[in-house]
Amino acid sequence: IVGLGEDLRDLVSTLKRVYSLGARASLFAFTPIRGTPMEGRPRPSMRYYRLAQLVNYALSRGLDVDELLDTERGCLRSVPAVGSGELARALLTAGCPGCNRPYYTESPGGELYNVPSEGLLPDIREVLRGLSC
């Protein structure tokens, strides 16, 4: 779950560890739920979550994220060396095969944190511009 108080360095370190153990990671943005002890905690920004998705995607493909990221400034220094169509897949819902329930943890009125199908993917070039240093 992204957005529980970690910073980008923590996130990268944890994901590197997951992949070094031969495991996979599926990301979900923290969602505050009324009536729970964390109901007042904010969701992660879409920008931070998109960085998390790209880091996870790059690591899952064996790419060196240290070259891609400026963790101090929280931005992309460079774009992963994959095609933009393939890179857009980093924003897709991941986890259980066929998972297509984006509204389980988010509001249907806003931008989707996890996109359920390729037809709904945002323009990856625009996303990358917003994440670049």
Side-chain angles (χ1 to χ4, degrees), residues 6-21:
E6 80 284 343
D7 63 20
L8 189 56
R9 264 180 265 127
D10 297 331
L11 179 84
V12 170
S13 173
T14 299
L15 288 172
K16 281 181 177 181
R17 176 93 170 113
V18 166
Y19 286 103
S20 76
L21 295 170

Side-chain angles (χ1 to χ4, degrees), residues 27 49-58 90-92 113-114:
L27 305 181
Y49 192 66
R50 293 292 185 239
L51 275 171
Q53 288 175 303
L54 289 172
V55 165
N56 185 47
Y57 190 79
L91 311 181
L92 289 171
Y113 279 72
N114 294 290

